[in-house]
Coordinates of all heavy atoms in Angstrom, one line a residue:
M1299 N -5.4 0.7 -16.7 CA -5.2 0.2 -15.4 C -5.8 -1.1 -15.2 O -7.0 -1.3 -15.7 CB -5.8 1.2 -14.3 CG -4.9 2.3 -13.9 SD -5.4 3.2 -12.5 CE -6.9 4.0 -13.1
P1300 N -5.1 -2.1 -14.6 CA -5.7 -3.4 -14.4 C -6.8 -3.4 -13.3 O -6.9 -2.5 -12.5 CB -4.6 -4.3 -14.0 CG -3.6 -3.3 -13.4 CD -3.8 -2.0 -14.1
T1301 N -7.7 -4.3 -13.4 CA -8.8 -4.5 -12.5 C -8.4 -5.5 -11.4 O -7.9 -6.6 -11.8 CB -10.1 -4.9 -13.2 OG1 -10.4 -3.9 -14.2 CG2 -11.2 -5.0 -12.2
Y1302 N -8.7 -5.2 -10.2 CA -8.4 -6.2 -9.1 C -9.8 -6.5 -8.4 O -10.6 -5.6 -8.3 CB -7.4 -5.6 -8.1 CG -6.1 -5.3 -8.7 CD1 -5.8 -4.0 -9.2 CD2 -5.1 -6.3 -8.7 CE1 -4.6 -3.8 -9.8 CE2 -3.9 -6.0 -9.3 CZ -3.6 -4.7 -9.8 OH -2.4 -4.5 -10.3
D1303 N -9.9 -7.7 -8.0 CA -11.1 -8.1 -7.3 C -11.0 -8.1 -5.8 O -9.9 -8.4 -5.3 CB -11.5 -9.6 -7.7 CG -12.1 -9.6 -9.1 OD1 -12.6 -8.6 -9.6 OD2 -12.1 -10.7 -9.7
Y1304 N -12.0 -7.6 -5.2 CA -12.0 -7.6 -3.7 C -13.3 -8.3 -3.2 O -14.3 -8.2 -3.9 CB -12.0 -6.1 -3.2 CG -10.7 -5.5 -3.4 CD1 -10.4 -4.9 -4.6 CD2 -9.7 -5.5 -2.4 CE1 -9.1 -4.3 -4.8 CE2 -8.5 -4.9 -2.6 CZ -8.2 -4.3 -3.8 OH -6.9 -3.8 -4.0
R1305 N -13.2 -9.0 -2.1 CA -14.3 -9.7 -1.6 C -14.8 -9.2 -0.3 O -14.0 -9.2 0.7 CB -14.0 -11.2 -1.5 CG -15.2 -12.0 -1.0 CD -14.8 -13.5 -0.7 NE -14.3 -14.2 -1.8 CZ -13.2 -14.8 -1.9 NH1 -12.4 -14.9 -0.8 NH2 -12.8 -15.4 -3.0
C1306 N -16.0 -8.7 -0.2 CA -16.7 -8.3 1.1 C -17.4 -9.5 1.6 O -18.1 -10.2 0.9 CB -17.6 -7.2 0.8 SG -18.6 -6.8 2.3
P1307 N -17.2 -9.8 2.9 CA -17.9 -11.0 3.5 C -19.5 -10.9 3.4 O -20.2 -11.9 3.3 CB -17.5 -11.0 4.9 CG -16.7 -9.8 5.2 CD -16.3 -9.2 3.9
R1308 N -20.0 -9.6 3.3 CA -21.4 -9.5 3.2 C -21.9 -9.3 1.8 O -23.0 -9.8 1.4 CB -21.8 -8.2 4.0 CG -21.9 -8.4 5.5 CD -22.3 -7.2 6.3 NE -23.6 -6.7 5.7 CZ -24.1 -5.5 6.0 NH1 -23.4 -4.7 6.8 NH2 -25.2 -5.1 5.5
D1309 N -21.2 -8.6 1.0 CA -21.7 -8.2 -0.3 C -21.1 -8.9 -1.5 O -21.4 -8.6 -2.6 CB -21.6 -6.7 -0.5 CG -22.3 -5.9 0.6 OD1 -23.4 -6.2 0.9 OD2 -21.6 -5.1 1.3
G1310 N -20.1 -9.7 -1.2 CA -19.5 -10.5 -2.3 C -18.3 -9.8 -3.0 O -17.8 -8.8 -2.5
V1311 N -18.0 -10.3 -4.2 CA -16.8 -9.8 -4.9 C -17.2 -8.6 -5.8 O -18.2 -8.5 -6.4 CB -16.2 -10.9 -5.8 CG1 -15.1 -10.4 -6.6 CG2 -15.8 -12.1 -4.9
F1312 N -16.3 -7.6 -5.8 CA -16.5 -6.4 -6.6 C -15.1 -6.0 -7.2 O -14.1 -6.2 -6.5 CB -17.1 -5.2 -5.9 CG -16.4 -4.8 -4.7 CD1 -15.5 -3.8 -4.8 CD2 -16.6 -5.4 -3.4 CE1 -14.8 -3.4 -3.6 CE2 -15.9 -5.0 -2.3 CZ -15.0 -3.9 -2.4
P1313 N -15.1 -5.4 -8.4 CA -13.8 -5.0 -9.0 C -13.4 -3.6 -8.7 O -14.3 -2.7 -8.4 CB -14.1 -5.2 -10.5 CG -15.6 -4.9 -10.6 CD -16.2 -5.3 -9.3
L1314 N -12.1 -3.3 -8.6 CA -11.6 -2.0 -8.4 C -10.4 -1.9 -9.4 O -9.7 -2.8 -9.6 CB -11.2 -1.7 -7.0 CG -12.2 -1.3 -6.0 CD1 -11.6 -1.0 -4.6 CD2 -13.0 0.0 -6.5
R1315 N -10.1 -0.6 -9.8 CA -9.0 -0.4 -10.7 C -7.9 0.3 -9.9 O -8.2 1.3 -9.2 CB -9.4 0.4 -11.9 CG -10.2 -0.3 -12.9 CD -10.7 0.6 -14.0 NE -11.2 -0.2 -15.1 CZ -10.5 -0.7 -16.1 NH1 -9.2 -0.5 -16.2 NH2 -11.0 -1.5 -17.0
F1316 N -6.7 -0.2 -10.1 CA -5.5 0.4 -9.4 C -4.4 0.4 -10.5 O -4.3 -0.4 -11.4 CB -5.0 -0.4 -8.2 CG -5.8 -0.2 -7.0 CD1 -6.8 -1.1 -6.6 CD2 -5.6 0.9 -6.2 CE1 -7.5 -0.9 -5.4 CE2 -6.3 1.1 -5.0 CZ -7.3 0.2 -4.6
P1317 N -3.5 1.4 -10.4 CA -2.2 1.3 -11.2 C -1.5 0.0 -10.8 O -1.6 -0.5 -9.7 CB -1.4 2.5 -10.8 CG -2.4 3.5 -10.2 CD -3.5 2.6 -9.5
I1318 N -0.7 -0.5 -11.8 CA 0.0 -1.7 -11.6 C 0.9 -1.6 -10.4 O 1.6 -0.6 -10.2 CB 0.8 -2.1 -12.8 CG1 -0.1 -2.5 -14.0 CG2 1.9 -3.2 -12.5 CD1 0.6 -2.8 -15.2
G1319 N 0.8 -2.6 -9.5 CA 1.7 -2.6 -8.3 C 1.1 -1.8 -7.1 O 1.8 -1.7 -6.1
E1320 N 0.0 -1.1 -7.3 CA -0.5 -0.3 -6.2 C -1.8 -0.7 -5.7 O -2.5 0.0 -5.0 CB -0.6 1.2 -6.7 CG 0.8 1.8 -7.1 CD 0.7 3.2 -7.5 OE1 -0.4 3.9 -7.2 OE2 1.6 3.7 -8.2
A1321 N -2.2 -2.0 -6.0 CA -3.5 -2.5 -5.4 C -3.4 -2.7 -3.9 O -2.4 -3.3 -3.5 CB -3.8 -3.8 -6.1
A1322 N -4.3 -2.1 -3.2 CA -4.3 -2.3 -1.7 C -4.7 -3.7 -1.4 O -5.5 -4.3 -2.0 CB -5.3 -1.3 -1.1
P1323 N -4.1 -4.2 -0.3 CA -4.5 -5.6 0.2 C -5.9 -5.6 0.7 O -6.5 -6.7 0.7 CB -3.5 -5.9 1.3 CG -2.9 -4.6 1.7 CD -3.0 -3.6 0.5
A1324 N -6.4 -4.5 1.2 CA -7.8 -4.5 1.6 C -8.4 -3.0 1.4 O -7.6 -2.1 1.5 CB -7.9 -4.8 3.1
V1325 N -9.7 -3.0 1.1 CA -10.3 -1.7 0.9 C -11.6 -1.7 1.6 O -12.1 -2.7 2.2 CB -10.6 -1.4 -0.6 CG1 -9.3 -1.4 -1.4 CG2 -11.5 -2.5 -1.2
R1326 N -12.3 -0.5 1.7 CA -13.6 -0.4 2.3 C -14.6 -0.7 1.2 O -14.6 -0.3 0.1 CB -13.8 1.1 2.7 CG -13.1 1.5 4.0 CD -13.7 0.9 5.2 NE -12.7 0.9 6.3 CZ -12.7 0.0 7.3 NH1 -13.7 -0.9 7.4 NH2 -11.8 0.1 8.3
C1327 N -15.6 -1.6 1.6 CA -16.7 -1.9 0.7 C -17.5 -0.7 0.5 O -17.9 0.0 1.4 CB -17.5 -3.1 1.3 SG -19.0 -3.4 0.4
A1328 N -17.9 -0.4 -0.8 CA -18.7 0.7 -1.1 C -20.1 0.6 -0.6 O -20.8 1.6 -0.5 CB -18.7 0.9 -2.6
T1329 N -20.6 -0.6 -0.4 CA -22.0 -0.8 0.0 C -22.1 -0.7 1.6 O -23.0 0.0 2.1 CB -22.4 -2.2 -0.4 OG1 -22.2 -2.3 -1.9 CG2 -23.9 -2.4 -0.1
C1330 N -21.3 -1.5 2.3 CA -21.4 -1.6 3.7 C -20.3 -0.9 4.5 O -20.3 -0.9 5.7 CB -21.6 -3.0 4.2 SG -20.1 -4.0 4.0
A1331 N -19.3 -0.4 3.8 CA -18.1 0.2 4.4 C -17.3 -0.8 5.3 O -16.4 -0.4 6.0 CB -18.5 1.4 5.3
G1332 N -17.6 -2.1 5.2 CA -16.8 -3.1 5.9 C -15.5 -3.4 5.1 O -15.3 -2.9 4.0
E1333 N -14.6 -4.2 5.7 CA -13.4 -4.5 5.1 C -13.5 -5.5 4.0 O -14.2 -6.6 4.3 CB -12.4 -4.9 6.1 CG -11.0 -5.1 5.5 CD -10.0 -5.7 6.6 OE1 -10.2 -6.7 7.2 OE2 -8.9 -5.1 6.7
A1334 N -13.0 -5.2 2.8 CA -13.0 -6.2 1.7 C -11.6 -6.5 1.4 O -10.8 -5.6 1.1 CB -13.8 -5.6 0.5
V1335 N -11.3 -7.8 1.4 CA -9.9 -8.2 1.1 C -9.7 -8.5 -0.4 O -10.6 -8.9 -1.0 CB -9.4 -9.4 2.0 CG1 -9.4 -9.0 3.4 CG2 -10.3 -10.6 1.7
R1336 N -8.5 -8.3 -0.8 CA -8.2 -8.6 -2.2 C -8.3 -10.1 -2.5 O -7.8 -10.9 -1.8 CB -6.8 -8.1 -2.6 CG -6.4 -8.2 -4.0 CD -5.1 -7.5 -4.3 NE -4.6 -8.0 -5.6 CZ -3.3 -7.8 -5.9 NH1 -2.5 -7.2 -5.2 NH2 -2.9 -8.3 -7.1
V1337 N -8.9 -10.4 -3.7 CA -9.0 -11.8 -4.1 C -7.9 -12.0 -5.2 O -7.9 -11.3 -6.2 CB -10.4 -12.0 -4.7 CG1 -10.5 -13.5 -5.2 CG2 -11.4 -11.7 -3.7
F1338 N -7.1 -13.0 -5.0 CA -6.0 -13.2 -5.9 C -6.3 -14.1 -7.0 O -5.6 -14.2 -8.0 CB -4.7 -13.7 -5.2 CG -4.1 -12.6 -4.3 CD1 -4.5 -12.5 -3.0 CD2 -3.2 -11.7 -4.8 CE1 -3.9 -11.5 -2.2 CE2 -2.6 -10.8 -4.1 CZ -3.0 -10.6 -2.7
A1339 N -7.4 -14.9 -6.9 CA -7.8 -15.8 -7.9 C -8.3 -15.1 -9.1 O -8.9 -14.1 -9.0 CB -8.8 -16.8 -7.4
P1340 N -8.0 -15.6 -10.3 CA -8.5 -15.0 -11.5 C -10.0 -15.1 -11.6 O -10.6 -15.9 -10.9 CB -7.8 -15.7 -12.7 CG -7.3 -17.0 -12.1 CD -7.1 -16.7 -10.6
P1341 N -10.7 -14.3 -12.5 CA -12.2 -14.4 -12.6 C -12.6 -15.8 -13.0 O -11.8 -16.6 -13.5 CB -12.5 -13.4 -13.7 CG -11.3 -12.5 -13.8 CD -10.1 -13.3 -13.4
M1342 N -13.9 -16.1 -12.9 CA -14.5 -17.3 -13.4 C -14.1 -18.5 -12.6 O -14.2 -19.6 -13.0 CB -14.2 -17.6 -14.9 CG -14.7 -16.5 -15.8 SD -16.4 -16.0 -15.5 CE -17.2 -17.5 -16.2
L1343 N -13.6 -18.3 -11.3 CA -13.3 -19.4 -10.5 C -14.4 -19.7 -9.4 O -14.2 -20.5 -8.5 CB -11.9 -19.2 -9.8 CG -10.7 -19.3 -10.7 CD1 -9.5 -19.1 -9.9 CD2 -10.7 -20.6 -11.4
S1344 N -15.5 -19.0 -9.6 CA -16.5 -19.1 -8.5 C -17.1 -20.5 -8.5 O -17.7 -21.0 -7.6 CB -17.6 -18.1 -8.8 OG -18.2 -18.3 -10.1
A1345 N -16.9 -21.3 -9.6 CA -17.5 -22.6 -9.7 C -16.5 -23.6 -9.0 O -16.9 -24.8 -8.7 CB -17.6 -23.1 -11.1
L1346 N -15.3 -23.1 -8.6 CA -14.4 -24.0 -7.9 C -14.8 -24.2 -6.4 O -15.5 -23.4 -5.9 CB -13.0 -23.5 -8.0 CG -12.4 -23.4 -9.4 CD1 -11.0 -22.8 -9.4 CD2 -12.4 -24.7 -10.1
S1347 N -14.2 -25.2 -5.8 CA -14.5 -25.5 -4.4 C -14.0 -24.3 -3.6 O -13.0 -23.7 -3.9 CB -14.0 -26.8 -4.0 OG -12.5 -26.7 -3.9
R1348 N -14.6 -24.1 -2.4 CA -14.2 -23.1 -1.5 C -12.7 -23.4 -1.0 O -11.9 -22.5 -0.8 CB -15.1 -23.0 -0.3 CG -16.5 -22.5 -0.6 CD -17.4 -22.6 0.6 NE -16.9 -21.7 1.7 CZ -17.3 -20.5 1.8 NH1 -18.1 -20.0 1.0 NH2 -16.8 -19.7 2.8
A1349 N -12.4 -24.7 -0.8 CA -11.1 -25.0 -0.3 C -10.0 -24.6 -1.4 O -9.0 -24.1 -1.0 CB -11.0 -26.5 0.0
L1350 N -10.3 -24.9 -2.7 CA -9.4 -24.5 -3.7 C -9.2 -23.0 -3.8 O -8.1 -22.5 -3.9 CB -9.8 -25.1 -5.0 CG -8.9 -24.8 -6.2 CD1 -7.4 -25.2 -5.9 CD2 -9.4 -25.5 -7.5
V1351 N -10.3 -22.3 -3.8 CA -10.3 -20.8 -3.8 C -9.5 -20.3 -2.6 O -8.6 -19.4 -2.8 CB -11.7 -20.2 -3.9 CG1 -11.6 -18.7 -3.7 CG2 -12.4 -20.6 -5.2
A1352 N -9.7 -20.8 -1.5 CA -8.9 -20.4 -0.3 C -7.5 -20.7 -0.5 O -6.6 -19.8 -0.1 CB -9.5 -21.1 1.0
A1353 N -7.1 -21.8 -1.1 CA -5.7 -22.2 -1.3 C -5.1 -21.2 -2.3 O -4.0 -20.8 -2.1 CB -5.6 -23.6 -1.8
L1354 N -5.8 -20.8 -3.3 CA -5.3 -19.9 -4.3 C -5.1 -18.5 -3.7 O -4.1 -17.9 -4.0 CB -6.3 -19.8 -5.5 CG -6.3 -21.1 -6.4 CD1 -7.5 -20.9 -7.4 CD2 -5.0 -21.3 -7.1
D1355 N -6.1 -18.1 -2.9 CA -6.0 -16.8 -2.2 C -4.7 -16.8 -1.3 O -3.9 -15.9 -1.3 CB -7.2 -16.5 -1.3 CG -8.4 -16.1 -2.2 OD1 -8.2 -16.0 -3.4 OD2 -9.5 -15.9 -1.6
R1356 N -4.5 -17.9 -0.6 CA -3.4 -18.0 0.3 C -2.1 -18.0 -0.5 O -1.1 -17.4 0.0 CB -3.5 -19.3 1.1 CG -2.5 -19.5 2.2 CD -2.7 -20.8 2.9 NE -1.5 -21.1 3.7 CZ -1.5 -21.1 5.0 NH1 -2.6 -20.7 5.6 NH2 -0.5 -21.4 5.7
T1357 N -2.1 -18.6 -1.6 CA -0.9 -18.6 -2.5 C -0.5 -17.2 -2.9 O 0.6 -16.8 -2.9 CB -1.1 -19.5 -3.7 OG1 -1.4 -20.9 -3.2 CG2 0.2 -19.6 -4.6
G1358 N -1.6 -16.5 -3.3 CA -1.3 -15.1 -3.8 C -0.8 -14.2 -2.6 O 0.1 -13.4 -2.8
R1359 N -1.5 -14.4 -1.5 CA -1.1 -13.6 -0.3 C 0.4 -13.9 0.1 O 1.1 -13.0 0.4 CB -2.0 -13.9 0.9 CG -3.3 -13.1 0.9 CD -3.9 -13.1 2.3 NE -4.0 -14.4 2.9 CZ -5.1 -15.2 2.6 NH1 -6.0 -14.8 1.9 NH2 -5.1 -16.4 3.2
S1360 N 0.7 -15.2 0.0 CA 2.0 -15.6 0.4 C 3.1 -15.0 -0.4 O 4.2 -14.7 0.1 CB 2.1 -17.2 0.3 OG 3.4 -17.6 0.6
A1361 N 2.8 -14.7 -1.7 CA 3.8 -14.1 -2.6 C 4.1 -12.6 -2.1 O 5.2 -12.2 -2.3 CB 3.3 -14.1 -4.0
E1362 N 3.1 -11.9 -1.6 CA 3.3 -10.5 -1.3 C 3.6 -10.4 0.2 O 4.3 -9.5 0.6 CB 2.1 -9.7 -1.7 CG 1.9 -9.6 -3.2 CD 1.0 -8.5 -3.6 OE1 0.5 -7.8 -2.7 OE2 0.8 -8.3 -4.8
A1363 N 3.0 -11.2 1.0 CA 3.1 -11.0 2.5 C 3.2 -12.4 3.1 O 2.2 -12.9 3.7 CB 2.0 -10.2 3.1
P1364 N 4.4 -13.0 3.0 CA 4.5 -14.4 3.6 C 4.2 -14.5 5.1 O 4.6 -13.5 5.8 CB 5.9 -14.8 3.3 CG 6.4 -13.8 2.3 CD 5.6 -12.5 2.5
E1365 N 3.5 -15.5 5.5 CA 3.3 -15.7 6.9 C 4.6 -16.2 7.5 O 5.3 -17.0 7.0 CB 2.2 -16.8 7.2 CG 0.9 -16.3 6.7 CD -0.2 -17.4 6.8 OE1 0.1 -18.5 7.4 OE2 -1.2 -17.2 6.2
V1366 N 5.0 -15.7 8.7 CA 6.2 -16.1 9.4 C 5.9 -17.2 10.3 O 5.0 -17.1 11.2 CB 6.8 -14.9 10.1 CG1 8.1 -15.3 10.9 CG2 7.1 -13.8 9.2
V1367 N 6.7 -18.3 10.2 CA 6.5 -19.5 11.0 C 7.5 -19.4 12.2 O 8.7 -19.2 11.9 CB 6.7 -20.8 10.2 CG1 6.6 -22.0 11.2 CG2 5.7 -20.9 9.1
T1368 N 7.0 -19.4 13.4 CA 7.9 -19.3 14.6 C 8.2 -20.6 15.2 O 9.0 -20.7 16.1 CB 7.3 -18.3 15.6 OG1 6.0 -18.7 16.0 CG2 7.2 -16.9 15.0
R1369 N 7.4 -21.7 14.9 CA 7.7 -23.0 15.4 C 7.2 -24.0 14.4 O 6.5 -23.7 13.5 CB 7.0 -23.2 16.8 CG 5.5 -23.1 16.6 CD 4.8 -23.3 18.0 NE 3.3 -23.3 17.8 CZ 2.5 -22.6 18.6 NH1 3.0 -21.9 19.6 NH2 1.2 -22.7 18.4
I1370 N 7.7 -25.3 14.7 CA 7.3 -26.3 13.8 C 5.8 -26.6 13.8 O 5.3 -26.7 14.9 CB 8.1 -27.6 14.2 CG1 9.6 -27.4 14.1 CG2 7.6 -28.8 13.3 CD1 10.4 -28.5 14.6
P1371 N 5.1 -26.6 12.7 CA 3.7 -26.8 12.7 C 3.4 -28.2 13.3 O 4.1 -29.2 13.0 CB 3.3 -26.8 11.3 CG 4.4 -26.0 10.6 CD 5.6 -26.3 11.4
G1372 N 2.4 -28.3 14.2 CA 2.1 -29.6 14.8 C 0.8 -29.5 15.5 O -0.2 -29.0 15.0
R1373 N 0.8 -29.9 16.8 CA -0.5 -29.9 17.5 C -0.8 -28.5 18.0 O 0.0 -27.6 18.0 CB -0.3 -30.8 18.7 CG 0.0 -32.2 18.3 CD 0.0 -33.2 19.5 NE 0.4 -34.5 19.1 CZ 1.3 -35.2 19.6 NH1 2.0 -34.8 20.6 NH2 1.6 -36.4 19.1
A1374 N -2.0 -28.3 18.5 CA -2.5 -27.0 19.0 C -1.7 -26.5 20.1 O -1.5 -25.3 20.3 CB -4.0 -27.1 19.3
D1375 N -1.2 -27.4 21.0 CA -0.4 -26.9 22.1 C 1.0 -26.6 21.8 O 1.8 -26.3 22.7 CB -0.5 -28.0 23.3 CG 0.2 -29.3 22.9 OD1 0.7 -29.4 21.7 OD2 0.2 -30.2 23.7
G1376 N 1.4 -26.8 20.5 CA 2.8 -26.4 20.1 C 3.7 -27.6 20.1 O 4.8 -27.5 19.6
S1377 N 3.3 -28.7 20.8 CA 4.2 -29.8 20.8 C 4.2 -30.5 19.5 O 3.3 -30.4 18.7 CB 3.8 -30.8 21.9 OG 2.6 -31.5 21.5
H1378 N 5.3 -31.3 19.2 CA 5.4 -31.9 17.9 C 5.8 -33.4 18.2 O 6.6 -33.7 19.1 CB 6.5 -31.2 17.1 CG 6.5 -31.7 15.7 ND1 7.2 -32.8 15.3 CD2 5.9 -31.2 14.6 CE1 7.1 -32.9 14.0 NE2 6.2 -32.0 13.5
P1379 N 5.2 -34.3 17.4 CA 5.5 -35.7 17.7 C 6.9 -36.1 17.7 O 7.4 -36.9 18.5 CB 4.7 -36.5 16.6 CG 3.9 -35.5 15.8 CD 4.2 -34.1 16.4
V1380 N 7.7 -35.4 16.8 CA 9.1 -35.7 16.8 C 9.8 -35.1 18.0 O 10.6 -35.8 18.7 CB 9.8 -35.1 15.5 CG1 11.3 -35.3 15.5 CG2 9.2 -35.8 14.3
N1381 N 9.5 -33.9 18.3 CA 10.2 -33.2 19.5 C 9.8 -33.8 20.8 O 10.6 -33.9 21.7 CB 9.8 -31.7 19.5 CG 10.4 -31.0 18.3 OD1 11.3 -31.5 17.6 ND2 9.9 -29.8 18.0
S1382 N 8.6 -34.4 20.9 CA 8.2 -34.9 22.2 C 8.7 -36.3 22.4 O 8.5 -36.9 23.4 CB 6.6 -34.9 22.3 OG 6.1 -35.8 21.3
G1383 N 9.4 -36.9 21.4 CA 10.1 -38.2 21.6 C 9.2 -39.4 21.2 O 9.7 -40.5 21.2
R1384 N 8.0 -39.2 21.0 CA 7.2 -40.4 20.5 C 6.6 -40.1 19.1 O 5.7 -39.2 18.9 CB 6.1 -40.7 21.5 CG 5.3 -39.5 22.0 CD 4.4 -40.0 23.2 NE 3.4 -38.9 23.4 CZ 2.2 -39.0 22.9 NH1 1.8 -40.0 22.2 NH2 1.3 -38.0 23.2
M1385 N 7.2 -40.8 18.2 CA 6.7 -40.7 16.8 C 5.3 -41.3 16.6 O 5.1 -42.4 17.1 CB 7.7 -41.3 15.9 CG 9.0 -40.6 15.7 SD 8.8 -39.2 14.5 CE 8.6 -40.2 13.0
V1386 N 4.5 -40.6 15.9 CA 3.2 -41.2 15.6 C 3.3 -41.7 14.2 O 3.6 -40.9 13.2 CB 2.1 -40.1 15.7 CG1 0.8 -40.8 15.3 CG2 2.0 -39.6 17.1
R1387 N 3.2 -43.0 14.0 CA 3.5 -43.6 12.7 C 2.1 -44.1 12.2 O 1.5 -45.0 12.7 CB 4.5 -44.7 12.7 CG 4.9 -45.2 11.4 CD 6.3 -45.8 11.4 NE 6.7 -46.2 10.1 CZ 6.4 -47.3 9.4 NH1 5.7 -48.2 10.0 NH2 6.9 -47.5 8.2
R1388 N 1.7 -43.5 11.1 CA 0.4 -43.9 10.5 C 0.7 -44.6 9.2 O 1.6 -44.2 8.5 CB -0.5 -42.7 10.3 CG -0.9 -41.9 11.5 CD -1.9 -40.9 11.2 NE -2.3 -40.1 12.4 CZ -1.6 -39.0 12.8 NH1 -0.6 -38.6 12.1 NH2 -2.0 -38.4 13.9
P1389 N -0.1 -45.6 8.9 CA 0.1 -46.2 7.5 C -0.1 -45.2 6.4 O -1.0 -44.3 6.5 CB -1.0 -47.3 7.5 CG -1.5 -47.5 8.9 CD -1.2 -46.2 9.6
V1390 N 0.6 -45.4 5.4 CA 0.5 -44.5 4.2 C -0.9 -44.7 3.6 O -1.5 -43.7 3.2 CB 1.6 -44.7 3.2 CG1 1.4 -43.9 2.0 CG2 3.0 -44.5 3.9
H1391 N -1.3 -45.9 3.5 CA -2.6 -46.2 2.9 C -3.4 -47.1 3.8 O -2.8 -48.0 4.4 CB -2.4 -46.9 1.5 CG -3.6 -47.1 0.7 ND1 -4.4 -48.1 0.9 CD2 -4.2 -46.3 -0.2 CE1 -5.5 -48.1 0.1 NE2 -5.4 -47.0 -0.6
P1392 N -4.7 -47.0 3.9 CA -5.4 -47.9 4.8 C -5.2 -49.4 4.5 O -5.2 -50.2 5.4 CB -6.9 -47.5 4.6 CG -6.8 -46.1 4.1 CD -5.5 -45.9 3.4
G1393 N -5.1 -49.7 3.2 CA -4.9 -51.1 2.8 C -3.6 -51.6 3.3 O -3.4 -52.8 3.4
Q1394 N -2.6 -50.7 3.6 CA -1.3 -51.2 4.1 C -1.4 -52.0 5.4 O -0.6 -52.9 5.7 CB -0.4 -50.0 4.3 CG 1.0 -50.3 4.5 CD 1.9 -49.1 4.7 OE1 1.4 -48.0 4.7 NE2 3.2 -49.3 4.7
A1395 N -2.4 -51.6 6.2 CA -2.6 -52.3 7.5 C -2.9 -53.8 7.3 O -2.7 -54.6 8.2 CB -3.6 -51.6 8.3
R1396 N -3.5 -54.1 6.2 CA -4.0 -55.5 6.0 C -2.9 -56.3 5.3 O -3.0 -57.6 5.2 CB -5.2 -55.5 5.1 CG -6.4 -54.9 5.8 CD -7.7 -55.2 5.0 NE -7.7 -54.7 3.6 CZ -8.1 -53.5 3.3 NH1 -8.6 -52.6 4.2 NH2 -8.1 -53.1 2.0
L1397 N -1.8 -55.7 4.9 CA -0.7 -56.5 4.3 C 0.0 -57.4 5.3 O 0.1 -57.0 6.5 CB 0.3 -55.5 3.6 CG -0.2 -54.7 2.4 CD1 0.8 -53.7 2.0 CD2 -0.6 -55.7 1.3
P1398 N 0.5 -58.5 4.8 CA 1.3 -59.4 5.7 C 2.6 -58.7 6.2 O 3.2 -57.9 5.5 CB 1.6 -60.6 4.9 CG 1.5 -60.2 3.4 CD 0.5 -59.0 3.5
R1399 N 2.9 -58.9 7.5 CA 4.1 -58.3 8.1 C 5.3 -59.2 7.8 O 5.2 -60.4 7.7 CB 3.9 -58.2 9.6 CG 2.8 -57.3 10.0 CD 3.2 -55.8 9.8 NE 2.1 -54.9 9.9 CZ 2.1 -53.7 9.4 NH1 3.1 -53.3 8.7 NH2 1.1 -53.0 9.5
P1400 N 6.5 -58.5 7.6 CA 7.7 -59.3 7.4 C 8.1 -60.0 8.7 O 7.8 -59.5 9.8 CB 8.7 -58.3 7.0 CG 8.2 -57.0 7.5 CD 6.7 -57.1 7.5
D1401 N 8.7 -61.2 8.6 CA 9.0 -62.0 9.8 C 10.3 -61.4 10.5 O 11.2 -60.9 9.8 CB 9.2 -63.5 9.5 CG 7.9 -64.1 9.0 OD1 6.9 -63.7 9.6 OD2 7.9 -64.9 8.1
Ligands
ZN2697 ZN1 -19.9 -4.9 1.9

């Protein structure tokens, strides 16, 4: 049986064995009985940045349980620069603002 990693927010990562395809998305931590979620990143990634590990976790979750998008991602209030009629145009690179403008 393969080993799957689960992460408890209090006690850290611990391994559990499940038959292939039957790993639960979340289990009870054996130490504190809190919820521990499955970690999709392979072992030895603890040296990576938190942002990268979070992205890898999200990628793994997305494969099994994709998040459903109900509106165009944008501002917190749900409005979008395109939909609201005023486009926000930012330079691609900060140095672009210093370039000469065409006549
Ligand atoms: Zn725990």
Side-chain angles (χ1 to χ4, degrees):
M1299 275 193 293
T1301 301
Y1302 299 90
D1303 285 339
Y1304 288 86
R1305 182 187 298 126
C1306 170
R1308 282 182 51 192
D1309 304 305
V1311 176
F1312 58 91
L1314 277 183
R1315 288 177 168 270
F1316 281 99
I1318 288 178
E1320 295 182 19
V1325 297
R1326 288 283 162 206
C1327 171
T1329 307
C1330 71
E1333 186 181 53
V1335 295
R1336 186 171 160 198
V1337 180
F1338 290 91
M1342 302 306 291
L1343 287 184
S1344 57
L1346 297 180
S1347 72
R1348 293 176 63 90
L1350 178 54
V1351 171
L1354 290 171
D1355 284 356
R1356 187 183 166 106
T1357 301
R1359 276 198 308 274
S1360 176
E1362 292 199 357
E1365 295 172 13
V1366 177
V1367 176
T1368 56
R1369 63 179 182 226
I1370 299 173
R1373 301 182 181 130
D1375 63 0
S1377 71
H1378 190 271
V1380 174
N1381 291 343
S1382 63
R1384 45 191 195 96
M1385 285 280 291
V1386 179
R1387 190 156 187 274
R1388 297 187 183 88
V1390 177
H1391 187 275
Q1394 188 179 8
R1396 296 193 300 270
L1397 291 175
R1399 295 284 169 204
D1401 293 325

